[in-house]
Amino acid sequence: MAGGVVVNNGGGKDYPGKLTMFVLFACIVAATGGLIFGYDIGISGGVTSMNPFLMKFFPAVYRKEQEAEKNQSNQYCKFDSPLLTMFTSSLYLAALVASFFASTVTRVAGRKWSMFGGGVTFLVGAALNGAAKNVLMLIIGRVLLGIGVGFANQSVPLYLSEMAPARLRGMLNIGFQLMVTIGILCANLINYGTAKIKGGWGWRVSLALAAVPAAIVAVGALFLPDTPNSLIDRGHTDAAKRMLRRVRGTDNIEEEYSDLVVASEESKLMTHPWRNILQRRYRPQLTMAIAIPFFQQLTGINVIMFYAPVLFKTLGFADDASLMSAVITGLVNVFATFVSIFTVDRLGRRKLFLQGGIQMLACQIVVGSLIGAKFGFSGVADIPKAYAAFVVLFICAYVAGFAWSWGPLGWLVPSEIFPLEIRSAGQSITVSVNMLFTFIIAQAFLPMLCHFKFILFFFFGAWVVIMTLFVSFFLPETKNVPIEEMVLVWKSHWYWCRFFRNEDVHVGADVEMPAAAAANGSKVDPAKLAY
Ligand code: BGC
C-alpha cells in the first residue's frame, strides 16, 4: 500500500522518477493516433467546397450554390443539403459505435492493439474514399474512417495518461491534441493545393492521402510498449514491474507499483464495468465523462473546423481565399496548443479552462455582431475586404482560446479521472458523447445557420457561459495528482465529497492527514487543492 504522501501543488503524492527518452518517444508515437482524427476533421470542409466534388456527388447543392452566386440571394442558406452534411457526419456516428467495441479491446488486449486496429481500418477507409465512384462508396469509406477514429480516440488518451509521470501528464497527454491540430492543418494545406488541380480530381488526392497518417499510426502502434497499468491488469506482473522501471527511469518504483496493483485488484472485482460505472461512487467521474465532451462540442469549434471554407465563402471570399483562411485558422490552432502544453502542469487545468472560456465568449460576441451588422437577417450583403479580414481575426482569437483550453483538456481531463476498473468504459463514454455532439453539430450547423443566421454565434456563446460556470464550481484541479490516486481529489471536493464513503477509497490509506483534511474525511490536504 502507499507510503507517506508528498502533497505537491495539486495534491496527491509525487512518485520518484524522471522523464525518460523511452517514455517521451512512446508518447510521441502514441500521440500520432490524433493525426487520423485531425486529418479527417480538416479534410471534409475543404473537399465539400470544391466544385468538381459537388458536381460529381451533390449536383443539386452545386446548382443552388451557383444560383446564389448569380442572384446574390440569401448567403446564410446556400449550402443547406442534408445529403452533403451526411457525408461529413456519417463518420462520427461510426466512431460513436466503434468506441464501445474499442473499450473491450483496450481493456482485454491492451491499449496498443486498439490503436493498431484503428490505424488499419482508417487505411482501408482512405482507399475507398480516394477511389469513390458514387455517394455510397464515399459514405462506406467514411464509416470505416469513423471506426478507426473511434478506436484511436478511445485508446490513445488513456495510453498517454497512464504512461506519463503525474507531474508531466498534462503535457504528454496534450501530444494527442497537438497531433489532432497538425492533422487538421495538413488537411487544410492539402486541400489548398489539390483545389488547384485542373483535371477536377483534386478531391480524390485529398481523401486518399488520409492513408498517410493511418499508416503512421498502424506501424507506430506495433512498436509501442504496453502501459504498466494495462500489463498488471492483464496479469503480466513481472513485465509490468520492468516496464515501470523503464518508463520512470528509476528502480525506486515500489510505491507506485503497489498503487497500480491495488487499482488492478479493485478492477478485477469488477466484472461489469458498464453496470458498475452507474454506481453512486462513480457519479462525479461519470458526470465529467459526459459533460466535458458535450461542452467541448457546444463551444461551436467544429463550425469553424468543418465549415471554415464555407463560412469564409459566405463572407464573400473567393474560393482560394476561403481555403487560405482555413489554413490560417489551422495554423493558429496548432501554435496555440503549445501554450497549453507548456502551462497545463504548472497553471493547472482549471485556469486554462476559465481563461479560454472567457476569450472564446468575447470573440463569439464580436464575430456574431460583425456578421449581424453587415448581413442582418436578410443574408444579402457585399462585405468589404478589410471588414471580412477583421472577422477572420476574431475567429482566429476564438480558435486560439479553444486550442489552449477545451481542445486539449476535453481529452486530457476525462482520460485522467477514472479509476482503472472503469477507465476503459469511461473513456468510451467520453468518445461517444464527443462523437454524438460532433455529429449533431455537423448535421445541424448549416440548417441552423440558415434559420438562426448570425444569432448562431450567440447561441454557442451562451453555452460557453454555462460551461465556464460549470468548470468553476464542479471541476476539481487534477494537475500533478497520480492517476491511481485521483479518487482523493473528488473526495476532497466541496460538492463531490458526498458521493464517497471512506471504505470506497483504497489508495494512500496509510497517509498522514492534516487535521483539517482528516476532519473532512479527506486524505489530501484540501487547503492545497485549488478549486
Ligand atoms: C475536438 C474536435 C475539434 C478539434 C479542433 C478536438 O479536441 O474534439 O472536435 O475539431 O479539437 O482542434
Side-chain angles (χ1 to χ4, degrees):
M1 192 69 64
V5 158
V6 181
V7 178
N8 57 328
N9 315 322
K13 70 180 107 175
D14 204 4
Y15 298 122
K18 52 182 186 272
L19 178 64
T20 59
M21 285 314 282
F22 180 72
V23 103
L24 183 64
F25 198 66
C27 287
I28 292 174
V29 173
T32 59
L35 281 178
I36 57 178
F37 180 39
Y39 189 84
D40 189 84
I41 293 166
I43 214 71
S44 14
V47 167
T48 52
S49 74
M50 290 179 194
N51 286 339
F53 178 82
L54 289 177
M55 273 150 72
K56 186 167 172 64
F57 297 108
F58 306 96
V61 181
Y62 176 71
R63 277 196 301 275
K64 216 169 156 192
E65 187 196 316
Q66 296 300 305
E67 268 162 39
E69 244 148 60
K70 253 192 266 135
N71 308 337
Q72 276 264 325
S73 67
N74 190 339
Q75 294 277 2
Y76 291 124
C77 296
K78 60 183 188 172
F79 291 100
D80 188 0
S81 149
L83 196 61
L84 181 62
T85 43
M86 196 56 181
F87 165 76
T88 304
S89 50
S90 54
L91 181 150
Y92 298 95
L93 279 187
L96 188 165
V97 177
S99 74
F100 287 101
F101 293 97
S103 155
T104 310
V105 179
T106 303
R107 186 162 44 87
V108 177
R111 283 70 173 129
K112 66 181 265 183
W113 293 111
S114 272
M115 257 179 261
F116 177 73
V120 171
T121 324
F122 200 89
L123 196 67
V124 180
L128 255 185
N129 263 349
K133 295 222 174 334
N134 47 44
V135 177
L136 188 67
M137 269 178 94
L138 270 186
I139 304 233
I140 294 178
R142 281 192 66 81
V143 167
L144 290 176
L145 298 183
I147 296 175
V149 168
F151 271 75
N153 288 18
Q154 207 278 339
S155 48
V156 173
L158 287 192
Y159 183 93
L160 295 170
S161 283
E162 288 183 345
M163 269 298 190
R167 271 170 300 118
L168 300 169
R169 190 176 56 239
M171 179 182 114
L172 292 175
N173 182 292
I174 295 177
F176 171 74
Q177 173 72 12
L178 181 67
M179 293 293 177
V180 173
T181 61
I182 292 176
I184 297 175
L185 176 65
C186 291
N188 287 340
L189 285 167
I190 288 169
N191 275 340
Y192 186 66
T194 58
K196 293 193 189 333
I197 293 178
K198 285 282 178 307
W201 43 268
W203 60 270
R204 281 194 193 281
V205 180
S206 291
L207 295 181
L209 279 177
V212 176
I216 297 177
V217 174
V219 175
L222 287 179
F223 292 97
L224 282 180
D226 268 314
T227 68
N229 319 47
S230 170
L231 284 170
I232 296 179
D233 212 29
R234 289 181 290 128
H236 308 298
T237 42
D238 287 340
K241 246 188 186 166
R242 277 196 305 273
M243 184 58 68
L244 195 56
R245 284 199 193 99
R246 193 142 181 227
V247 296
R248 298 289 175 255
T250 167
D251 283 341
N252 187 4
I253 45 108
E254 287 309 321
E255 211 178 311
E256 182 170 7
Y257 181 78
S258 40
D259 270 354
L260 297 189
V261 171
V262 172
S264 166
E265 275 160 10
E266 284 200 27
S267 144
K268 294 260 157 56
L269 297 176
M270 191 150 287
T271 38
H272 299 289
W274 290 106
R275 198 173 329 134
N276 284 308
I277 204 169
L278 298 175
Q279 286 175 11
R280 185 177 160 81
R281 62 180 163 142
Y282 298 127
R283 206 55 50 80
Q285 294 95 331
L286 183 63
T287 307
M288 295 302 159
I290 297 170
I292 291 180
F294 166 78
F295 284 141
Q296 190 205 49
Q297 289 308 313
L298 266 291
T299 55
I301 187 66
N302 281 325
V303 165
I304 309 295
M305 293 300 138
F306 295 147
Y307 298 113
V310 177
L311 193 74
F312 293 135
K313 255 189 178 180
T314 303
L315 284 175
F317 284 84
D319 285 4
D320 196 51
S322 304
L323 288 174
M324 194 59 214
S325 316
V327 171
I328 295 172
T329 50
L331 273 171
V332 171
N333 198 15
V334 174
F335 284 107
T337 305
F338 281 100
V339 174
S340 63
I341 289 187
F342 292 118
T343 56
V344 69
D345 292 312
R346 260 174 278 152
L347 291 179
R349 287 60 166 150
R350 284 171 49 84
K351 288 210 178 89
L352 288 174
F353 264 130
L354 300 177
Q355 191 285 333
I358 292 168
Q359 179 163 328
M360 282 191 284
L361 175 64
C363 296
Q364 282 162 322
I365 294 174
V366 173
V367 171
S369 311
L370 286 174
I371 295 186
K374 273 289 172 198
F375 281 125
F377 282 97
S378 73
V380 181
D382 223 353
I383 295 203
K385 279 244 148 46
Y387 196 90
F390 211 55
V391 177
V392 174
L393 183 76
F394 277 93
I395 290 181
C396 286
Y398 160 82
V399 170
F402 175 87
W404 61 61
S405 63
W406 282 91
L409 303 178
W411 293 103
L412 165 64
V413 174
S415 79
E416 66 184 5
I417 57 173
F418 306 115
L420 184 62
E421 65 269 21
I422 54 158
R423 190 167 300 151
S424 221
Q427 181 69 9
S428 293
I429 294 177
T430 295
V431 175
S432 16
V433 172
N434 195 306
M435 296 301 144
L436 177 66
F437 285 93
T438 308
F439 167 79
I440 291 175
I441 287 177
Q443 203 69 24
F445 168 66
L446 293 178
M448 274 168 92
L449 182 65
C450 186
H451 295 114
F452 289 162
K453 308 181 164 63
F454 64 90
I455 303 290
L456 197 54
F457 292 92
F458 302 139
F459 167 80
F460 287 118
W463 278 106
V464 171
V465 173
I466 296 171
M467 65 188 80
T468 307
L469 290 174
F470 176 83
V471 166
S472 96
F473 288 111
F474 295 107
L475 187 76
E477 181 55 67
T478 50
K479 75 169 174 181
N480 299 345
V481 181
I483 189 163
E484 307 303 357
E485 295 242 317
M486 203 54 81
V487 64
L488 304 178
V489 166
W490 300 104
K491 215 176 163 247
S492 324
H493 186 268
W494 70 272
Y495 178 75
W496 299 116
C497 61
R498 70 200 66 197
F499 291 88
F500 294 93
R501 294 167 309 170
N502 266 342
E503 58 269 32
D504 289 337
V505 180
H506 299 138
V507 284
D510 51 353
V511 170
E512 271 184 37
M513 278 178 283
N520 200 21
S522 168
K523 300 194 169 56
V524 178
D525 182 356
K528 302 245 171 71
L529 290 166
Y531 294 126

